[in-house]
Amino acid sequence: MHACAVIVSTRDDLYAHRMSEFRLTQISDTHLGQRFPGLIANFQAISAHIDADRPDLVVNTGDVSFDGPSSRDDVAFAKSLHAALPVACRYLPGNHDIGDNPTAIGPAPKPPVAEAHRRQFCDIIGEDHWSFEAAGWRFIGLNSLVMNSGLAFEAQQFDWLASEIARVNGRPVALFLHKPVFLHLPDDPETPETSIRYVPQPARARLIEMFAHVDLRLIASGHVHQRRDFTYRHTRHVWAPSAGFRINDARQDRIAIKEVGLVEYRFRPDSVEVRHVRAAGQVDIDIEELFAQMGGEH
C-alpha cells in the first residue's frame, strides 16, 4: 500500500493518554529551499522557540517547501530541517508543495495539483491527511489542494473524512488545512482575483455540510500569509501567518496582520486557548527580497 493511501490510522490513540492537556504549535508557509537564507534563518528562529517550549506536536499547514513541483530537493531540504525539531511533526501540503486547485473562475492554476507531486510529498514529508485524538478532542488534517481537482484521491479523501466524522462521538473537533475555508461567510462569492485563496466551490460547500452535525470548534489554516483570528457561529477560524515572509500591500490586499510568526494552542477536554506568537529573531522578510534572489525564475 502506498505511503499516502487512505487508511484509518492505527496511531489514533498516540496522544490519547494525554487527556488533561495537549499543546500544539502550528507553523505554516515555511517555503524552505536552500537558496533562501532568510527563510532558513526564520525557520531556525522558530526551531529555537519550539526547542525551548517543547509542545506535544508541531503541525505545518502547508507550503512546507518553496517549490515542490519543480524541485524535489526543496522538499527533501524542508523535511530535513523539520526532522531536526525536538518534537513530533505532522504536515499538510500547500500549493507550493503539490500544485494548486482548479477553480470555477479565474485563470488556471500554475502548476495545477498533480498526483505525482502529491505522492512525492507523501514519500518525503509524510501523510497528507490524518486524524487522531488528544485531550478529549478529535483532530483532523486535510489535503485541501486536491479539492475540485477531479483526482481519484479527492473522492477517496472525502470518503475517508466521512468515516472519521462518523467516529467523532460528540467530541469537539479541530480541523487543520492549508487554505482557509472562506473569507467572511461560507457562501462568499468567488472572484477571479481571490478564487485560489480559499477552499474552492463546490468542494467548500460539501466540506461545510459534512461538518454541520459535529462540534467543529476550530479551523486552523495558513496560505494567505496574514495573521487572522475570528469566530463564525461557534467555530473559531485561525489563520497562521507565514513562518518565512510577508506579501506587501502592492501585491496582495490587506485583510489582517502582515507579519511572520506562529500560533500556539493549548487544548483541554472542553476548551482551547490560542496564543499568537512571534519567535525571537524572526524577521519580516518581504516577498520582493525573494524575487530578487530568484532572478528570472518567477
Side-chain angles (χ1 to χ4, degrees):
M1 181 175 287
H2 192 273
C4 245
V6 179
I7 58 173
V8 175
S9 175
T10 57
R11 302 166 62 198
D12 256 357
D13 299 319
L14 186 61
Y15 310 104
H17 65 286
R18 301 170 184 158
M19 287 305 294
S20 60
E21 182 176 280
F22 184 73
R23 295 191 305 121
L24 185 153
T25 294
Q26 180 193 5
I27 60 177
S28 198
D29 300 86
T30 44
H31 289 274
L32 291 165
Q34 294 188 62
R35 61 203 182 280
F36 299 107
L39 303 185
I40 297 169
N42 271 344
F43 187 82
Q44 289 170 337
I46 279 180
S47 297
H49 180 88
I50 290 169
D51 186 31
D53 188 58
R54 298 294 173 106
D56 295 303
L57 181 69
V58 170
V59 172
N60 189 324
T61 45
D63 287 355
V64 183
S65 61
F66 192 84
D67 188 3
S70 297
S71 174
R72 184 181 179 91
D73 288 346
D74 279 4
V75 183
F77 178 69
K79 179 55 186 284
S80 71
L81 293 187
H82 285 76
L85 290 171
V87 299
C89 295
R90 288 181 184 258
Y91 310 87
L92 295 166
N95 48 297
H96 279 255
D97 299 312
I98 66 171
D100 212 342
N101 312 65
T103 57
I105 60 172
K110 294 181 180 179
V113 63
E115 177 62 19
H117 298 141
R118 189 185 80 85
R119 286 199 305 267
Q120 174 180 266
F121 181 92
C122 294
D123 289 342
I124 298 173
I125 299 286
E127 291 179 318
D128 66 344
H129 65 295
W130 35 260
S131 176
F132 64 88
E133 182 187 335
W137 286 65
R138 171 61 61 174
F139 295 80
I140 297 174
L142 292 178
N143 179 339
S144 59
L145 280 306
V146 297
M147 295 177 187
N148 266 28
S149 68
L151 296 175
F153 178 71
E154 178 185 7
Q156 293 167 8
Q157 181 176 237
F158 272 127
D159 289 345
W160 172 85
L161 177 59
S163 70
E164 291 300 313
I165 288 173
R167 302 168 63 221
V168 165
N169 293 326
R171 298 180 189 90
V173 175
L175 172 64
F176 290 79
L177 70 177
H178 181 60
K179 290 189 173 184
V181 180
F182 52 78
L183 174 59
H184 296 302
L185 299 169
D187 58 353
D188 282 340
E190 292 183 310
T191 70
E193 296 76 24
T194 64
S195 59
I196 61 170
R197 191 174 288 168
Y198 310 103
V199 174
Q201 297 284 21
R204 179 199 308 173
R206 181 177 181 184
L207 187 65
I208 290 168
E209 173 59 27
M210 290 180 75
F211 280 99
H213 304 295
V214 298
D215 184 9
L216 180 60
R217 299 272 187 96
L218 173 71
I219 300 177
S221 60
H223 183 56
V224 186
H225 289 236
Q226 299 192 41
R227 187 192 291 285
R228 190 175 183 219
D229 190 333
F230 70 99
T231 298
Y232 175 76
R233 293 185 175 166
H234 71 287
T235 303
R236 189 168 181 176
H237 295 249
V238 175
W239 297 9
S242 169
F245 66 93
R246 63 184 181 181
I247 304 171
N248 59 66
D249 292 353
R251 290 190 178 270
Q252 180 204 52
D253 53 314
R254 181 179 291 267
I255 301 166
I257 300 169
K258 293 188 173 185
E259 66 178 10
V260 296
L262 61 149
V263 187
E264 295 176 343
Y265 303 86
R266 189 181 297 265
F267 294 91
R268 297 187 179 96
D270 197 41
S271 68
V272 58
E273 295 176 14
V274 181
R275 290 184 67 234
H276 293 277
V277 181
R278 182 184 174 97
Q282 277 192 284
V283 175
D284 282 327
I285 296 170
D286 190 271
I287 193 171
E288 305 300 339
E289 296 178 43
L290 305 181
F291 286 151
Q293 291 173 44
M294 292 167 68
E297 277 187 61
H298 67 286

